[in-house]
Amino acid sequence: MVIPESQLQIWANPGSQAKFKDAHESIRKVLEIYNWPNGKPNYEIYLQGSYKNSTTVRSNSDVDIVVQLNSFYSQDLDNLSYNDKQLLLKFLSKSSYQWEQFRYDVIKALRNMSSFTVSEGNKCINVETPYLDADVVVCMQHRLYVNRSEARDHYHYRMRYYKKKVRIIIIT
């Protein structure tokens, strides 16, 4: 199979760095100025995918942006003994602001920006900005709780798969 020279030229020229930065910053600013109904939640915004990894090859590709809720999280307690689970559950607090409400508020904030066209996808929010289209993934932390004896293996696992944003909590 022969690849045309024109296709090779497209692949050889990375996408515009300015466009993805502008799209990312415009979404960040919209969320910063949004009047959150229950006060501003603890969240972070970061890039994911080809722009984050500097591997984009098409000038018309979209930017992948993650908006992660940190004040609410899913948890995995399966690696803990019954006693450790009971002890931990005494100290964990329940959040009244959950992921579903956070996602709703993110969509509402993005729709408030007149220069954006926003549509809900199956797994992400599709946002057409004046700069570049963006796929916005609204997520929450996942915390894996382990005993000290298992911590080393899980730490190395986390370092290999940093994109999943798994926080490992060591119970001593």
Side-chain angles (χ1 to χ4, degrees):
M1 177 177 150
V2 177
I3 299 173
E5 182 68 28
S6 60
Q7 184 63 52
L8 292 173
Q9 287 300 320
I10 290 171
W11 289 343
N13 295 312
S16 169
Q17 298 297 308
K19 284 184 178 182
F20 96 81
K21 287 179 183 176
D22 290 341
H24 179 223
E25 281 306 309
S26 66
I27 289 172
R28 178 185 300 278
K29 287 178 184 171
V30 164
L31 294 176
E32 282 178 11
I33 63 170
Y34 178 64
N35 185 15
W36 297 89
N38 299 315
K40 187 175 179 181
N42 177 4
Y43 69 92
E44 62 184 295
I45 302 173
Y46 53 91
L47 293 172
Q48 183 171 291
S50 60
Y51 280 101
K52 179 190 186 306
N53 299 323
S54 299
T55 57
T56 185
V57 293
R58 294 182 359 226
S59 60
N60 64 346
S61 64
D62 62 10
V63 60
D64 299 318
I65 299 172
V66 176
V67 182
Q68 177 181 295
L69 178 64
N70 293 327
S71 56
F72 180 77
Y73 51 87
S74 65
Q75 59 196 18
D76 182 349
L77 305 177
D78 291 344
N79 294 316
L80 297 180
S81 68
Y82 175 80
N83 290 338
D84 286 342
K85 285 180 193 176
Q86 297 309 310
L87 181 64
L88 181 64
L89 291 173
K90 286 182 187 178
F91 296 101
L92 293 178
S93 60
K94 297 281 184 190
S95 174
S96 60
Y97 189 70
Q98 297 186 2
W99 178 83
E100 292 82 2
Q101 182 62 43
F102 180 65
R103 186 174 192 277
Y104 172 82
D105 286 337
V106 168
I107 293 168
K108 189 173 177 185
L110 294 170
R111 286 190 171 144
N112 283 346
M113 186 67 174
S114 61
S115 61
F116 289 177
T117 302
V118 179
S119 62
E120 292 183 59
N122 240 0
K123 298 178 182 174
C124 68
I125 304 163
N126 304 304
V127 182
E128 294 176 28
T129 74
Y131 314 102
L132 192 65
D133 291 351
D135 290 338
V136 177
V137 176
V138 180
C139 67
M140 63 182 165
Q141 285 185 5
H142 178 75
R143 294 183 180 180
L144 173 63
Y145 291 87
V146 298
N147 291 311
R148 182 174 289 282
S149 62
E150 300 170 3
R152 184 169 180 245
D153 292 336
H154 287 292
Y155 175 78
H156 290 294
Y157 176 84
R158 178 182 180 204
M159 298 321 291
R160 284 196 309 266
Y161 299 100
Y162 71 94
K163 291 179 192 173
K164 296 185 189 279
K165 289 291 216 178
V166 174
R167 178 171 291 171
I168 298 174
I169 311 298
I170 301 168
I171 305 300
T172 57

